[in-house]
Amino acid sequence: MGRVYNFSAGPAVLPEEVLKEAQADMLDYKGCGMSVNEMSHRSKMFDDIIKTAEKDFRELVGVPDNYKVLFLQGGGNMQFAQIPMNLMNKHHKADYIVTGQWARKAYEEAKIYGDAVKIASSEDKTFSYIPDCSDLPIDEDADYVYICENNTIYGTEYFQLPNTKGKLLVADVSSNFLSRPIDVEKYGLFFGGVQKNVGPAGMVITVIRDDLITDDVYPGTPTMLKYKTQADKDSLYNTPNCWCIYICGLVFKWLKNLGGLEEMNRRNEKKAKLLYDYLDQSKLFHGTVRKQDRSLMNVPFVTGDKDLDAKFVAESKAAGLENLKGHRTVGGMRASIYNAMPYEGVAKLVEFMEDFEKKNLK
Ligand SMILES: *Cc1c(COP(=O)(O)O)cnc(C)c1O
């Protein structure tokens, strides 16, 4: 069996060139006689891998010198705790904008460490839109304002950052990480679990401004969960996820070679437009998100008939279009069309949907 078009929300599709390169390196990484999986994280070879990965990431994203780039473990969920433990340290209060399940989890977790305040939400319409964030009731004494920039499950994305009225912005960018250029200086901290749009599972990249890395953390914070611990040791305080850092490094090179984040964004817009244009005129399928908030990465859609949705998922799978079933809490379908999904994959999906529509429209 050949490779399928994989529309999984995460872990997700990786660039074929990257997988092939990793395959070629597997037994003997650049003449050192062993694979990256077998080498010491203190070795010269690995030191080159992690330093090059960080350098390429900084170039790609445009990370200023006064921001640290950390390669951390524990997933996005660990950041939900690590952020309040480290940053809710002045007034022990932070404002959360709840636009989906991941933002809600972050908000619930933050309550353990301080006064987390839900200042806006789109829960009233099953998270199908991004609330107006131009004039929110930001707390005077909020240590930061938290958002989830792309809502993986509901398929909404911020195209304009909230007005935080001078407060620090903290963002979860897991599912739109490296999908488009980003202005780092607008954030105090942002993080992305790499298994959505960048690499294999098992690592988060956290970008944090220098002055936020302190010893002034929540009492009892484990050494491993202080940003300062990993920042002081360039993410090598303990054994990092070596394999993941290596693969992400290859993906950064892949992105640089194709023209960087501007070009990646152009391609992502083109792919998303193809699918949304089809959905907008379809008589069988329809998208579930308010138009101006539609994610370029995760595209949920439904027929309105559960049995027909199930039939679509089964038949698309048989046609080599995998993982189109919607999130278990939402139902319907969802196509995740991350960076590594080629245009041809989306074209194939649209073609399949057109055909399905013809056969099933009553
Ligand atoms: C998947 C996801 C998470 C959770 O990541 P884990 O690494 O599984 O903890 C958090 N935020 C967003 C936006 C996600 O898509």
Side-chain angles (χ1 to χ4, degrees):
M1 186 177 166
R3 282 176 61 77
V4 297
Y5 286 116
N6 179 11
F7 295 92
S8 169
V13 58
L14 286 168
E16 216 164 282
E17 296 92 318
V18 165
L19 296 175
K20 283 187 177 145
E21 192 172 345
Q23 183 182 42
D25 282 348
M26 185 56 95
L27 293 181
D28 177 9
Y29 178 77
K30 312 235 181 288
C32 74
M34 62 179 85
S35 95
V36 175
N37 285 315
E38 301 164 294
M39 59 179 67
S40 165
H41 61 295
R42 307 286 176 204
S43 65
K44 172 78 178 69
M45 272 297 180
F46 188 73
D47 194 54
D48 280 349
I49 290 173
I50 191 169
K51 289 222 169 83
T52 306
E54 181 174 341
K55 184 172 154 287
D56 286 339
F57 177 84
R58 283 181 171 277
E59 264 179 57
L60 204 53
V61 180
V63 181
D65 288 344
N66 64 323
Y67 283 76
K68 274 272 182 196
V69 174
L70 304 175
F71 299 119
L72 306 173
Q73 298 182 64
N77 276 273
M78 187 71 96
Q79 293 306 296
F80 298 165
Q82 195 165 3
I83 287 165
M85 282 174 148
N86 284 266
L87 301 187
M88 238 192 214
N89 55 359
K90 292 192 178 71
H91 305 288
H92 311 287
K93 187 188 251 190
D95 289 347
Y96 279 72
I97 302 175
V98 178
T99 51
Q101 277 206 30
W102 296 119
R104 181 161 56 199
K105 276 185 92 175
Y107 162 66
E108 295 293 340
E109 188 72 15
K111 283 188 197 167
I112 299 171
Y113 306 101
D115 187 6
V117 185
K118 193 198 296 185
I119 54 164
S121 165
S122 50
E123 213 159 350
D124 60 333
K125 290 182 184 154
T126 44
F127 299 119
S128 60
Y129 70 104
I130 299 287
D132 177 1
C133 297
S134 58
D135 186 19
L136 292 171
I138 309 274
D139 283 286
E140 276 296 321
D141 52 352
D143 287 327
Y144 59 85
V145 176
Y146 182 101
I147 61 166
C148 177
E149 212 169 293
N150 183 77
N151 296 286
T152 326
I153 295 172
Y154 299 94
T156 58
E157 184 169 4
Y158 285 80
F159 293 102
Q160 196 173 358
L161 293 175
N163 173 7
T164 63
K165 303 182 178 170
K167 302 295 174 203
L168 208 63
L169 178 65
V170 168
D172 174 356
V173 300
S174 296
S175 49
N176 61 350
F177 206 15
L178 305 183
S179 67
R180 53 176 165 144
I182 142 172
D183 185 352
V184 176
E185 286 179 312
K186 296 217 161 104
Y187 304 81
L189 177 154
F190 63 89
F191 72 91
V194 300
Q195 77 271 25
K196 304 288 159 66
N197 204 19
V198 182
M203 192 169 78
V204 166
I205 299 179
T206 293
V207 178
I208 176 171
R209 215 172 60 204
D210 277 349
D211 61 291
L212 303 174
I213 304 170
T214 67
D215 280 315
D216 181 20
V217 297
Y218 187 79
T221 295
T223 307
M224 276 290 289
L225 291 184
K226 284 164 67 174
Y227 286 122
K228 192 163 190 305
T229 303
Q230 292 291 9
D232 284 350
K233 301 285 182 191
D234 295 322
S235 306
L236 287 166
Y237 171 76
N238 70 321
T239 320
N241 189 334
C242 300
W243 173 255
C244 200
I245 291 168
Y246 158 70
I247 297 286
C248 287
L250 297 182
V251 172
F252 302 155
K253 291 256 187 255
W254 176 78
L255 283 163
K256 282 175 73 178
N257 288 339
L258 69 79
L261 300 189
E262 297 270 355
E263 172 61 18
M264 194 67 251
N265 182 48
R266 197 191 60 78
R267 293 185 190 190
N268 285 331
E269 280 178 347
K270 191 171 164 223
K271 281 185 286 179
K273 183 173 190 311
L274 180 66
L275 184 48
Y276 284 126
D277 281 353
Y278 167 69
L279 284 172
D280 284 344
Q281 58 74 56
S282 172
K283 293 192 173 59
L284 184 66
F285 300 101
H286 58 271
T288 55
V289 170
R290 186 170 73 175
K291 233 173 173 172
Q292 69 261 39
D293 303 321
R294 296 194 294 202
S295 166
L296 298 187
M297 297 282 105
N298 310 98
V299 183
F301 57 93
V302 296
T303 63
D305 172 343
K306 277 198 174 66
D307 295 336
L308 203 53
D309 287 351
K311 186 178 178 211
F312 178 84
V313 170
E315 289 185 7
S316 57
K317 184 176 165 67
L321 306 166
E322 288 262 357
N323 292 315
L324 284 163
K325 194 168 187 302
H327 189 269
R328 61 198 142 76
T329 60
V330 183
M333 281 74 73
R334 171 178 50 171
S336 294
I337 50 175
Y338 294 124
N339 286 350
M341 172 58 66
Y343 184 82
E344 298 72 54
V346 182
K348 189 90 194 291
L349 170 62
V350 169
E351 203 179 293
F352 181 84
M353 289 169 80
E354 279 167 349
D355 189 53
F356 188 89
E357 179 167 347
K358 261 184 222 132
K359 289 178 181 145
N360 292 280
L361 192 65
K362 285 176 202 104

